[in-house]
Each structure stands twice: as structure tokens, then as C-alpha cells.
Amino acid sequence: MALVLESSLQSGGFVLGFRVDPVEKLHEVVKEIQSLHRVYSTSPIFGVEFEHGDNPGNIEELVIENLPDDVDIVEDDEPSDAFAAYFADGNKQKDRPPVFSEELGLAIEKLKDGFTLSNLWEVVEHK
């Protein structure tokens, strides 16, 4: 015997078929599915659990003081030498050949002589 379940169009309109042997087991499965359907129809679970709590209180109790960021903002309009040299290469006719970078673990364009990866990451000069 087979058990065929059809879902509504809102849930995709699927038709699922299952072979269930023996027939007695099929009747048990049908009863279980009908029981679950009744329970979930009266109190469906939509994937989000929400509990109503007590009154949250007044807004002054919920406000959190803003803490200053631990960041130094450097306002320097002048890019570092590595930045300028790497991107403003006027004599560049073609790309440099790729080489494997042990530091990054991938292939990168060969750097110009005298430059390192850490130079390229330092866009703003540190004083």
C-alpha cells in the first residue's frame, strides 16, 4: 500500500508518496499524521517563538550610554609612497607575472623591487 500526501498550493503544492508495509502500519501512520495535523492546525508553529513578557518599563531604563570608539582617525590626504608607486606606474606595458605568496597562500602579481605586501597594506603613512 502507499501513503500519498498533498500539500496546499501556498506551501508548494507538493505530492509525496510513500510505500508503507504492512497495511496495519499504514493505518497507524495515517492516524499519527491526522493527530499531528489537528494539533498543529489549532496551534501552528511558524518558526519563531515569541513570549509576551511583563511591561518593559520606561525608555530611560532601556537606554544604554554610548561609549567612545577606541579609534584614531588619521586625516592625511597624501597617500603613502607604496600606494602611489603601485597604482601610478606610467611605464607599465603589461602585467607582471604571477608568483605564489607564502604570506597570503595564493598567487599574486609579482611586486615591484623594493616593495613588500605589508607596504601595500599601509595606505596611510603611520607617524
Side-chain angles (χ1 to χ4, degrees), residues 76-98:
D76 188 5
D77 295 335
E78 196 174 307
S80 70
D81 293 336
F83 184 76
Y86 192 79
F87 287 108
D89 190 358
N91 297 328
K92 182 177 177 182
Q93 299 297 322
K94 61 179 183 171
D95 290 340
R96 289 180 281 284

Side-chain angles (χ1 to χ4, degrees), residues 67-81:
L67 300 175
D69 294 332
D70 188 20
V71 176
D72 292 332
I73 299 175
V74 178
E75 295 183 18
D76 188 5
D77 295 335
E78 196 174 307
S80 70
D81 293 336

Side-chain angles (χ1 to χ4, degrees), residues 32-76:
E32 184 70 23
I33 290 172
Q34 289 173 338
S35 173
L36 290 171
H37 183 262
R38 276 192 302 276
V39 169
Y40 286 111
S41 294
T42 57
S43 181
I45 298 174
F46 296 112
V48 177
E49 292 185 26
F50 177 77
E51 294 181 16
H52 292 281
D54 294 334
N55 188 358
N58 59 20
I59 192 70
E60 288 81 20
E61 294 174 1
L62 300 174
V63 173
I64 299 173
E65 179 185 346
N66 287 334
L67 300 175
D69 294 332
D70 188 20
V71 176
D72 292 332
I73 299 175
V74 178
E75 295 183 18
D76 188 5

